[in-house]
Amino acid sequence: MEAISTVQKHWDQVYTNKVLEESSWYQPKPDTALDFILNAGLSKDAAIIDMGGGDSLLVDHLLDLGYTNLCVLDISAKALEKAQKRLGAQANAVNWIVADAANFKTTQQYDFWHDRAAFHFLTNDADILHYVQTAGTAIKPGGHLMIGTFSEQGPQKCSGLEIRQYSAQSLSEVFASHFQKIKCFTLDHYTPTQAVQNFTFCVFRRKD
Ligand SMILES: C[S@@+](CC[C@H](N)C(=O)[O-])C[C@H]1O[C@@H](n2cnc3c(N)ncnc32)[C@H](O)[C@@H]1O
């Protein structure tokens, strides 16, 4: 990435000032993603990316389960440093990418792309289109995309920033050019202060 953007500064500051367990998005065990990955029958060397993964514990759980081809991308270098520090030597087995999802480009191919509460920060149409096209080419044909955003019943802001809310229908429409819907559902997330955040989750398969 070139110059540090305002968004990157925001997130670096968040990760400098907050401990993981006090963040509204904290999950000791990201069961939604883990359940799907385990039931999808992905091989242990399947290429898995956590977009906007921050210092989420998803990567720790996947390493513990024996997955070997893992990537975590985030706009905040601070977030990834925290995750790396926590994992110690295990961090060397993960590919860490500091990038803005709004302009991220890659030649890598992924079997499974996970995004919980990062895509919803993209609020302008050009950034959203870029994200959809990148996922639509970087995920292998037949590969999976699992995406979670605040629902239309959820909060309008996340970490003090505007977000875009999605219903199952609007999320499916945004990704329809490259992806076929497998399933969508809503889910209440309880923050560490017991506030309820309603999410829309969709799982898609990349079209051939
Ligand atoms: C609400 S947190 C969720 C973190 C993690 N996905 C989880 O579920 O625990 C949002 C994350 O998205 C990252 N993020 C926000 N905007 C981004 C962007 N444009 N590109 C990449 N990452 C972004 C933030 O740095 C932060 O780590």
Side-chain angles (χ1 to χ4, degrees):
M1 226 170 18
E2 295 129 29
I4 293 188
S5 67
T6 334
V7 181
Q8 189 178 12
K9 269 191 207 147
H10 169 89
W11 285 106
D12 276 346
Q13 222 155 26
V14 167
Y15 282 105
T16 305
N17 297 332
K18 270 205 171 179
V19 296
L20 173 63
E21 294 78 5
E22 288 168 2
S23 310
S24 56
W25 52 90
Y26 171 63
Q27 286 183 301
K29 191 164 175 232
D31 284 320
T32 311
L34 290 169
D35 286 351
F36 186 83
I37 291 170
L38 289 170
N39 287 324
L42 292 173
S43 62
K44 295 290 175 177
D45 64 351
I48 300 175
I49 183 166
D50 192 13
M51 285 295 284
D55 65 349
S56 154
L57 297 172
L58 178 61
V59 67
D60 306 45
H61 286 279
L62 292 173
L63 284 165
D64 286 348
L65 288 165
Y67 291 92
T68 57
N69 191 354
L70 304 175
C71 177
V72 182
L73 178 147
D74 204 276
I75 198 166
S76 166
K78 273 269 171 262
L80 300 188
E81 274 166 28
K82 283 176 88 171
Q84 287 161 5
K85 210 166 167 186
R86 180 182 71 228
L87 284 164
Q90 274 191 302
N92 297 328
V94 178
N95 182 21
W96 305 93
I97 302 175
V98 178
D100 184 341
N103 51 40
F104 171 59
K105 289 195 179 99
T106 182
T107 53
Q108 290 295 308
Q109 290 276 285
Y110 298 99
D111 295 286
F112 183 81
W113 177 299
H114 173 261
D115 182 321
R116 173 175 176 266
F119 171 71
H120 69 187
F121 288 105
L122 304 184
T123 53
N124 84 60
D125 290 346
D127 291 347
I128 292 170
L129 185 64
H130 175 89
Y131 185 106
V132 172
Q133 284 175 343
T134 303
T137 48
I139 297 173
K140 295 176 188 173
H144 291 102
L145 164 66
M146 171 178 266
I147 195 141
T149 70
F150 285 166
S151 80
E152 289 173 343
Q153 282 70 49
Q156 289 173 342
K157 286 191 170 186
C158 184
S159 184
L161 300 177
E162 297 289 336
I163 55 97
R164 192 175 279 201
Q165 299 174 325
Y166 290 90
S167 63
Q169 190 179 339
S170 60
L171 196 53
S172 304
E173 280 168 9
V174 166
F175 285 94
S177 54
H178 295 75
F179 295 92
Q180 196 182 347
K181 182 175 97 177
I182 298 178
K183 63 173 175 180
C184 293
F185 50 96
T186 56
L187 198 69
D188 280 336
H189 165 66
Y190 290 83
T191 72
T193 57
Q194 294 306 302
V196 183
Q197 297 180 331
N198 192 249
F199 274 75
T200 295
F201 268 93
C202 285
V203 183
F204 302 109
R205 182 181 287 111
R206 193 192 139 184
K207 295 175 187 169
D208 290 336

